[in-house]
Amino acid sequence: MTDAHAHDSSQYYIPHHSPWPILGSVTLFTVMLGAVSYLNDWLGAWVFLPGAALLGTLFFLWFGTVIDENQRGIYNLQVDRSFRMGMMWFIFSEVMFFAAFFGALFYARVLSVPWLGGEGVKVFTNYILWPHFEPAWPTSGPGHVGGRADSSFNVMNPLGIPALNTAILLTSGFTVTMAHHALRAGKRTPLAIWLALTFLLGFTFVGFQAHEYGEAYANMGLKLSTGIYGSTFFMLTGFHGLHVTIGAIMLTVIWLRVMRGHFTPKRHFAFEAVAWYWHFVDVVWLGLFIFVYWL
Amino acid sequence: MTIRKTLARLALAAAAGALTLPAWGEESGWAQLNMPQGVTDISRKIYALHMEIFWVCVVIGVVVFGAMIWSMIAFRKSKGAVADTTLVHNTQVEVVWTVIPVIILVAMAVPAARTLIEIEDTTRTGLNIKVTGFQWGWEYDYLDQGVTYFSHLDRASDAARELGSGVDPTTVPHYLLNVDHPLVVPNGVKVRLLITGADVIHSWWVKDLGVKKDAIPGFINEAWFKVDDGWTGLLRGNCAELCGRDHGFMPIVVDVRSRADFDTWLKNTAAEQKQAASPGASAPTGPLPNATAPAAAAPATRAPATATATVAAAG
Amino acid sequence: MAEPHAHAAAHDDHDHKPHGWRRWVFATNHKDIGTMYLVLSCTMFFIGGIAAECIRLELFRPGLQFFDPQFFNSLTTMHGLIMIFGAIMPAFVGLANWMVPMQVGAPDMALPRLNNFSFWILPFAFTLLIGSFFVPGGAPAGGWTMYPPLILQTGAAFPMLIFSVHLMGMSSILGAINVIVTIMNMRAPGMTLLRMPLFVWSWLITAYLLIAVMPVLAGAVTMLLTDHFFGTTFFTAAGGGDPVMFQHIFWFFGHPEVYIMILPAFGIISEIIPTFSRKPLFGYEAMVYAVASIAFLSFIVWAHHMFTVGMPLAAQLFFMLSTMLIAIPTGVKVFNWTATMWKGSLSFEPPMLFALAFLFLFSIGGFSGLMLAMVPADYQYQDTYFVFAHFHYVLVTGALFSIIAAVYYWLPKWTGHMYDMKLGTWHFWLSAIFVNVLFFPQHFLGLAGMPRRIPDYAVQFTDWNMVSSIGAFGFGLSQLLFPYLIIKCIRAGRAAGNRAWEGAHGLEWELPSPPPFHSWTTPPSDAVIARGAAH
Ligand code: HEA
Ligand code: HEA
Ligand code: CUA
Ligand SMILES: [Cu+2]
């Protein structure tokens, strides 16, 4: 019902009433209720899963409307700029979300673990409460929380899969840029190939990451519950992996749109938005590689 | 205007009401308008700092509010004031009213920083006591002295505070500010508290000592105080961090004694606790003195409520 | 080309707006969405207010009369959360929705569907939050600050709390993105940045703050969630974490959050005072820079909420000094408002009355804030009623009064009707008097040693608590005048002209009252813009 026959769109464009926002809120609410009921052992995942499926469908439809309006040429340059700015600030908010978890990592490494080990102002903390704790990183804390049965654990060798994954993501950053060049030059076939390479690399990354998690759980005693190291490791890499997955799915959608002949060398906001998102995911990974795996 | 008249009448009524209020006695709540000065050097320094900033704010307030009130009276449209629409900018005054606050703030920061540095100096202490907050009470452990015990809200308050207990709180001595076993300390000695929490965060606060420090599970915070030489009596405080259902019901009482009294108390209590803990003792085992354990009756029966030296009297 | 153009024109006349419930539920119009935000805010204010009245009722005299302590703590927690996230923030977003497009010469917000999404998330978020009263274990009772480990003891309400915070955060972030994009991209040609009204400026900066800190809050509560359900140890010492770490992350959000609740208020006051002084704002550019510096400083003062947690000395000194610095730009604002009145031609309609009360009472709250910033003194004030007095002065007589002032200021524009001035004046005097009866004695209580968040107290605190409770009942009841006045104004009232107030300037006053469905279908001319931005 979102009518497109709006105003003289060379001046401005305002979509008239739309059902998507309210449906989006209702499904989002369903997802949240489902998560509550799952965590509280009320109804298991029986609300969450359908809710999540609905939410996914809904965003598919909502974006479908937008894409459709766009293809019909209703959007003027002002709308295009609005979308661009919106996407940039959305990415900034994501950066700040990761900042919270990086903050937790730095706090633990620079302050709380040394304090527990008796450094700085908290000598008595170590002396009275945790007399045998030597501060070191990685650690599962003075209480040796989690890990194997003897509460030991191993950490990922940064030169193994992580280094490979770094290479993969960096390459994918390159391929997406190549795709952008091809798009701007109006060359469809290279565009499709570079783009396909990008999301394939993305999914490969996720595959390796999943493998790494399997290893960590099965053989290394490294779990989400392995003290502060496990907490920061899995929350940071996990949220990053989630973002890579979302990004790769978005790239796939963009690729499908390319195959349908969407986008022109001049106007291709959606492509660029996803490319920015991809670069953001890339940069976060570099932070992770350095501070989580390497140092 | 009727509104103005009605307001005037309301104000009169309020003033009349105020006159009929109970006299402002020492014990009356009406007189409690300010921070107490406390019984340590630090607490008095904090009080002085507090008063200093207070007066600075009052003076700034008088000037700024004065200017506002003046504008409201002098430039009323109803009195024919005509706006001077050219008055939109004046770099000179703007610089002045940026710089003056800077100077005031520096003048406030210096004594504050000095006091803070003094407070943070936890060296050269004479007695170390580990304080553990738990849901809901305090545990005191005189490190290396063999004395440990728990401190809870006293029975009378505890009974009266139940929902619908029917007890009038005003009939309970020191309602909610009394414990079964106060923390006993000597005066004139720098006492170091090593504060931690057992379950959630609590905060050990006795305002007359000028000490408030959070009790954080898994960590130890340090604080210290040194009660004036010669001062004895009881000081009262509270847990100052929301810690669950009974957060309002975990007061702190500090029993300040002369050094000699304190030493005797410490020696006796240590002996009693050792005896109570020894396998042959007939008294109920457990390291803490409490009212039901005869061996520990001595410290416990010094019921704080009967002590007369309250802070109000001292301050 | 006459045909499509004629169509567009006819189209605008009929406004093509859906009617009935669809108009609201499927809304994409900034005014309709703004109205919904304001209605939600008012509802939440009343719910949060009723919680506050229950608190004041229990505290009327010592002894527990009505509530179990646990339920009392839930009331405190929910009062704080509902007032902050449900009453104040949505009210400002609602005002931004109504006014920003009109003030910058735009037809609507930049991203209208997203706008509706941001709104509709909120009622569900509050359903989740308030619904937590009815699950086993009761509503969250750990305070609005949600400190672990205590908050981890919450029962079935725990995930409801976390997810409702996530939803509120999402709503705020999307709303803020919309405001930024509208301001940066939808301004009429000729509306340069330094011609924008201060309300727009302050909201632009607020929106940046929102985008920077709401995700951090989301991260913090996510860590709570995983600590509770999935065995992480962010906030447990045994695993190498620290309960205090949560406080750092929370207040990194929390302090900018309090400025999120006051910067738009500064903007509103900067609109109202010039209007009723019939004189342009004094020191326009300094006002813009002041808002920007306050926003910047707000990121480096957070630990002043945590002076008692046992931070190293250097950190305490740093946070004390940075906090004190905020008094300087805030002072610039207060002085500029005073200078705006100086040599003006003042009249005292309800918006001006509330703005003047803001000037005095917010400053009082600011002074007590400054006292709180002195670390040694804060050791005595922290977690007492003195803190309550401080922030209710800045929040109730600051943020809330500015919202009431804004409604009184723009109501004639929104409805096309003048309201009952006398009733508004009554509302003002009753509010201004009772709010001081309510909160001023809390300074005394705090200094005398009454801790915050307690359901029952020692008997020497009785007298001032009674006074405070009487003030609370009086203040609460006085607020009933407000919706009554608004409804009366919508139903009837003398027609208000385009420029409802003699001294009003700015683009919104160039539009008819009530404004057309799409505010500025053709951008205002440069002359019109210049007329509004005469500073
Ligand atoms: C709108 C909300 C708002 C605003 C604007 C402020 C403004 C300020 N706040 Fe406040 N604050 C809160 C909301 C707010 N606060 C809340 C909600 C809490 C408690 C949270 C909780 O624990 O639940 C809190 C708590 C709080 C604390 C922690 C107290 C504690 O728990 O121990 C501190 C400590 O520094 C503080 C300081 C300040 C300062 C220095 C300002 C300054 O910005 C004030 C600046 C203004 C002025 C100073 C007045 C005008 C200036 C002049 C007239 C110029 C001349 C003046 C001088 C040179 C002195 N606040
Ligand atoms: C913007 C935020 C905001 C606002 C507007 C208010 C408004 C009020 N607050 Fe506020 N308050 C907070 C934010 C706010 N508060 C926060 C953040 C906390 C800390 C929470 C924590 O510690 O975690 C707090 C805590 C707090 C406490 C301490 C609780 C405790 O220690 O346990 C008290 C107690 O007096 C209090 C009182 C009030 C009152 C009486 C009002 C009044 O202004 C409310 C007036 C409004 C109404 C009453 C509603 C409208 C009227 C009706 C519906 C008619 C019916 C009325 C009657 C029956 C009288 N508040
Ligand atoms: Cu212990 Cu509050
Ligand atoms: Cu703050």
Side-chain angles (χ1 to χ4, degrees):
Chain A
M1 278 290 295
T2 7
D3 25 334
H5 57 96
H7 317 268
D8 179 2
S9 62
S10 67
Q11 282 197 1
Y12 66 90
Y13 169 73
I14 305 294
H16 283 301
H17 54 293
S18 160
W20 303 133
I22 180 78
L23 292 177
S25 318
V26 173
T27 43
L28 195 57
F29 181 58
T30 315
V31 170
M32 295 299 191
L33 263 189
V36 168
S37 97
Y38 172 73
L39 292 172
N40 278 339
D41 276 335
W42 287 342
L43 295 168
W46 290 111
V47 181
F48 179 78
L49 292 177
L54 275 178
L55 188 65
T57 319
L58 202 106
F59 273 94
F60 197 71
L61 293 172
W62 185 340
F63 287 141
T65 308
V66 177
I67 292 169
D68 179 55
E69 286 169 3
N70 191 4
Q71 286 308 110
R72 284 194 282 148
I74 295 168
Y75 294 165
N76 57 21
L77 277 175
Q78 190 179 42
V79 176
D80 193 67
R81 261 200 318 273
S82 289
F83 284 165
R84 275 159 200 281
M85 291 181 175
M87 188 66 192
M88 288 204 192
W89 288 107
F90 173 71
I91 290 178
F92 177 64
S93 80
E94 292 265 38
V95 170
M96 292 309 291
F97 182 73
F98 276 96
F101 289 92
F102 273 108
L105 176 69
F106 295 142
Y107 185 93
R109 293 186 63 164
V110 178
L111 298 172
S112 68
V113 170
W115 278 342
L116 290 164
E119 287 172 17
V121 290
K122 307 272 164 116
V123 248
F124 283 96
T125 300
N126 183 262
Y127 182 73
I128 296 179
L129 297 176
W130 313 106
H132 303 297
F133 180 61
E134 298 276 341
W137 189 264
T139 178
S140 57
H144 304 292
V145 177
R148 299 197 186 89
D150 64 351
S151 73
S152 69
F153 67 96
N154 295 90
V155 296
M156 222 50 80
N157 174 11
L159 296 180
I161 290 179
L164 189 60
N165 264 348
T166 309
I168 289 176
L169 270 199
L170 287 180
T171 315
S172 77
F174 170 73
T175 54
V176 80
T177 308
M178 290 311 287
H180 195 192
H181 283 308
L183 174 52
R184 276 211 295 231
K187 296 186 190 139
R188 294 252 149 210
T189 317
L191 163 63
I193 293 172
W194 285 119
L195 199 55
L197 267 178
T198 312
F199 71 72
L200 287 176
L201 284 168
F203 285 120
T204 314
F205 173 95
V206 176
F208 276 128
Q209 191 82 359
H211 172 76
E212 190 187 75
Y213 277 15
E215 276 292 294
Y217 264 73
N219 304 326
M220 302 169 69
L222 179 55
K223 304 187 174 128
L224 187 56
S225 54
T226 308
I228 191 69
Y229 184 80
S231 308
T232 49
F233 175 83
F234 280 103
M235 292 298 275
L236 274 163
T237 56
F239 271 117
H240 177 262
L242 186 70
H243 281 77
V244 177
T245 314
I246 295 170
I249 292 173
M250 296 198 305
L251 283 167
T252 315
V253 172
I254 293 294
W255 182 75
L256 290 172
R257 289 185 63 190
V258 167
M259 300 311 273
R260 288 208 188 163
H262 291 192
F263 306 123
T264 66
K266 286 237 168 71
R267 294 278 298 272
H268 44 257
F269 156 71
F271 178 95
E272 282 181 290
V274 174
W276 293 335
Y277 193 83
W278 197 249
H279 288 307
F280 147 72
V281 165
D282 220 353
V283 171
V284 171
W285 172 260
L286 287 183
L288 285 182
F289 183 67
I290 295 172
F291 293 111
V292 174
Y293 288 99
W294 184 11
L295 293 184
Chain B
M1 283 248 289
T2 49
I3 292 183
R4 213 173 290 162
K5 254 188 225 144
T6 320
L7 286 175
R9 220 172 300 140
L10 274 177
L12 260 182
L19 286 181
T20 56
L21 291 173
W24 287 31
E26 264 293 306
E27 291 298 301
S28 149
W30 298 110
Q32 300 210 342
L33 301 174
N34 203 354
M35 186 190 283
Q37 301 206 23
V39 297
T40 69
D41 193 32
I42 291 289
S43 73
R44 277 187 299 271
K45 280 192 173 138
I46 293 179
Y47 174 81
L49 185 66
H50 156 71
M51 288 317 285
E52 184 198 313
I53 350 165
F54 171 70
W55 286 116
V56 168
C57 290
V58 168
V59 170
I60 298 176
V62 167
V63 173
V64 179
F65 296 167
M68 290 176 191
I69 292 171
W70 176 258
S71 322
M72 286 159 58
I73 294 171
F75 308 118
R76 266 178 301 169
K77 186 174 181 244
S78 59
K79 290 283 172 314
V82 180
D84 173 2
T85 49
T86 59
L87 188 67
V88 290
H89 182 63
N90 182 334
T91 312
Q92 251 167 347
V93 281
E94 286 179 59
V95 169
V96 168
W97 69 43
T98 313
V99 172
I100 292 183
V102 175
I103 298 170
I104 299 177
L105 291 175
V106 172
M108 286 159 66
V110 170
R114 228 183 251 141
T115 311
L116 180 62
I117 291 169
E118 211 172 316
I119 293 175
E120 287 294 313
D121 175 13
T122 47
T123 55
R124 292 189 305 280
T125 47
L127 178 68
N128 293 322
I129 305 173
K130 182 179 165 218
V131 178
T132 311
F134 58 89
Q135 285 172 323
W136 288 275
W138 299 95
E139 185 194 6
Y140 298 113
D141 181 355
Y142 292 72
L143 291 181
D144 306 325
Q145 312 283 343
V147 173
T148 344
Y149 56 91
F150 291 93
S151 171
H152 289 101
L153 180 68
D154 76 319
R155 289 287 188 79
S157 294
D158 201 30
R161 61 108 176 182
E162 289 300 329
L163 192 59
S165 67
V167 183
D168 177 2
T170 51
T171 62
V172 181
H174 297 286
Y175 178 58
L176 298 187
L177 286 178
N178 219 356
V179 297
D180 49 4
H181 310 301
L183 172 70
V184 184
V185 295
N187 61 25
V189 172
K190 188 168 178 181
V191 179
R192 169 158 51 195
L193 302 178
L194 298 165
I195 304 172
T196 186
D199 32 42
V200 300
I201 303 178
H202 305 262
S203 188
W204 198 88
W205 178 36
V206 175
K207 60 182 184 298
D208 292 289
L209 296 175
V211 172
K212 181 186 286 147
K213 205 63 151 189
D214 289 1
I216 308 208
F219 289 84
I220 295 226
N221 273 330
E222 292 178 58
W224 65 272
F225 58 84
K226 184 173 165 197
V227 179
D228 295 341
D229 237 338
W231 195 94
T232 57
L234 296 172
L235 301 170
R236 296 174 196 281
N238 303 77
C239 173
E241 180 63 57
L242 178 60
C243 54
R245 189 175 178 277
D246 284 354
H247 159 62
F249 308 100
M250 52 182 291
I252 295 157
V253 180
V254 180
D255 180 353
V256 184
R257 303 187 183 185
S258 68
R259 288 203 65 163
D261 278 2
F262 173 79
D263 287 340
T264 339
W265 172 85
L266 192 67
K267 211 163 81 217
N268 291 346
T269 314
E272 283 154 11
Q273 291 204 352
K274 192 166 175 202
Q275 204 203 351
S278 66
S282 57
T285 50
L288 22 148
N290 58 51
T292 52
T301 46
R302 250 188 67 97
T306 58
T308 46
T310 62
V311 183
Chain C
M1 284 311 285
E3 170 52 33
H5 189 256
H7 168 76
H11 194 85
D12 274 332
D13 285 340
H14 296 299
D15 278 350
H16 218 88
K17 65 184 172 205
H19 292 278
W21 61 272
R22 281 194 186 79
R23 168 172 174 196
W24 303 104
V25 170
F26 295 161
T28 49
N29 178 275
H30 72 104
K31 302 190 194 74
D32 288 349
I33 295 172
T35 305
M36 292 196 290
Y37 265 113
L38 290 172
V39 170
L40 174 83
S41 153
C42 191
T43 314
M44 286 301 148
F45 172 63
F46 275 42
I47 295 176
I50 286 170
E53 297 300 336
C54 291
I55 291 170
R56 289 305 337 159
L57 190 65
E58 178 62 66
L59 293 176
F60 187 73
R61 54 196 188 89
L64 286 177
Q65 285 91 36
F66 304 100
F67 308 120
D68 179 80
Q70 184 72 17
F71 184 73
F72 180 91
N73 290 344
S74 295
L75 285 177
T76 303
T77 308
M78 297 298 265
H79 164 67
L81 287 169
I82 291 176
M83 283 300 193
I84 287 177
F85 292 103
I88 303 295
M89 292 172 67
F92 282 137
V93 183
L95 291 170
N97 255 295
W98 258 100
M99 301 319 299
V100 166
M102 285 206 249
Q103 290 190 324
V104 301
D108 205 298
M109 296 289 277
L111 304 162
R113 278 180 290 231
L114 193 67
N115 199 12
N116 197 25
F117 189 45
S118 331
F119 170 76
W120 276 107
I121 290 174
L122 282 181
F124 294 105
F126 288 105
T127 308
L128 206 55
L129 186 66
I130 297 173
S132 69
F133 268 116
F134 307 102
V135 299
W144 84 279
T145 48
M146 304 178 280
Y147 285 1
L150 180 63
I151 198 70
L152 303 175
Q153 296 180 349
T154 312
F158 181 74
M160 302 173 82
L161 168 72
I162 301 296
F163 291 132
S164 70
V165 171
H166 279 142
L167 288 176
M168 296 182 235
M170 267 179 229
S171 160
S172 294
I173 292 168
L174 299 180
I177 290 177
N178 221 330
V179 170
I180 294 185
V181 176
T182 306
I183 297 175
M184 296 315 281
N185 193 33
M186 304 286 282
R187 271 174 294 135
M191 175 57 80
T192 57
L193 285 178
L194 282 178
R195 272 178 166 181
M196 295 194 312
L198 264 166
F199 179 67
V200 177
W201 257 116
S202 58
W203 237 113
L204 179 65
I205 292 168
T206 305
Y208 289 127
L209 286 184
L210 277 167
I211 298 183
V213 301
M214 294 311 289
V216 175
L217 173 66
V221 297
T222 304
M223 290 180 221
L224 284 180
L225 188 80
T226 57
D227 265 18
H228 188 291
F229 288 110
F230 304 109
T232 58
T233 59
F234 287 106
F235 309 131
T236 312
D242 183 350
V244 173
M245 176 156 90
F246 175 84
Q247 302 184 17
H248 281 288
I249 305 175
F250 178 86
W251 288 115
F252 181 83
F253 144 80
H255 187 83
E257 166 70 14
V258 309
Y259 291 112
I260 286 166
M261 294 188 284
I262 206 67
L263 294 185
F266 289 170
I268 291 165
I269 300 304
S270 305
E271 304 282 298
I272 293 177
I273 293 201
T275 297
F276 296 94
S277 305
R278 293 168 180 76
K279 193 165 153 279
L281 185 67
F282 189 89
Y284 171 88
E285 281 186 35
M287 290 300 244
V288 173
Y289 296 135
V291 175
S293 359
I294 296 174
F296 168 74
L297 286 172
S298 76
F299 284 108
I300 53 164
V301 301
W302 76 87
H304 66 214
H305 295 272
M306 310 164 49
F307 284 142
T308 59
V309 300
M311 275 183 292
L313 172 65
Q316 298 189 53
L317 282 174
F318 171 79
F319 286 108
M320 173 172 88
L321 296 174
S322 59
T323 304
M324 292 171 70
L325 279 182
I326 296 191
I328 295 164
T330 316
V332 167
K333 302 205 71 82
V334 172
F335 301 141
N336 277 333
W337 289 321
T338 311
T340 305
M341 298 196 295
W342 192 263
K343 294 202 176 164
S345 169
L346 277 65
S347 60
F348 301 93
E349 287 85 349
M352 183 63 165
L353 289 173
F354 274 98
L356 287 170
F358 174 99
L359 241 54
F360 286 92
L361 301 176
F362 168 79
S363 296
I364 292 182
F367 290 145
S368 57
L370 208 69
M371 298 175 73
L372 288 164
M374 305 285 132
V375 184
D378 182 70
Y379 287 161
Q380 297 285 42
Y381 309 138
Q382 192 262 350
D383 259 318
T384 68
Y385 264 70
F386 193 80
V387 177
F388 279 153
H390 157 63
F391 74 67
H392 281 100
Y393 267 88
V394 283
L395 279 170
V396 177
T397 58
L400 180 65
F401 271 28
S402 83
I403 292 165
I404 298 177
V407 172
Y408 279 137
Y409 184 51
W410 284 310
L411 195 57
K413 173 58 57 188
W414 299 340
T415 61
H417 297 174
M418 247 325 164
Y419 50 88
D420 184 340
M421 290 283 168
K422 201 180 232 174
L423 203 60
T425 311
W426 267 104
H427 179 213
F428 168 74
W429 282 109
L430 289 172
S431 301
I433 292 170
F434 278 121
V435 84
N436 283 293
V437 177
L438 162 57
F439 292 120
F440 207 79
Q442 296 189 358
H443 291 113
F444 305 147
L445 287 170
L447 292 176
M450 178 162 164
R452 65 189 277 196
R453 295 167 166 169
I454 55 173
D456 191 4
Y457 49 83
V459 289
Q460 77 256 33
F461 302 129
T462 312
D463 303 324
W464 289 122
N465 267 300
M466 281 189 180
V467 173
S468 179
S469 291
I470 291 169
F473 304 145
F475 183 74
L477 290 176
S478 317
Q479 300 319 308
L480 292 175
L481 290 176
F482 192 43
Y484 171 72
L485 181 147
I486 295 172
I487 292 167
K488 218 176 111 186
C489 171
I490 294 172
R491 290 247 177 100
R494 161 173 83 72
N498 290 5
R499 193 179 299 277
W501 310 105
E502 188 195 347
H505 285 282
L507 285 181
E508 74 265 38
W509 305 107
E510 308 286 341
L511 287 168
S513 310
F517 195 61
H518 294 296
S519 301
W520 288 98
T521 41
T522 32
S525 72
D526 210 51
V528 169
I529 294 175
R531 186 159 70 214
H535 37 249

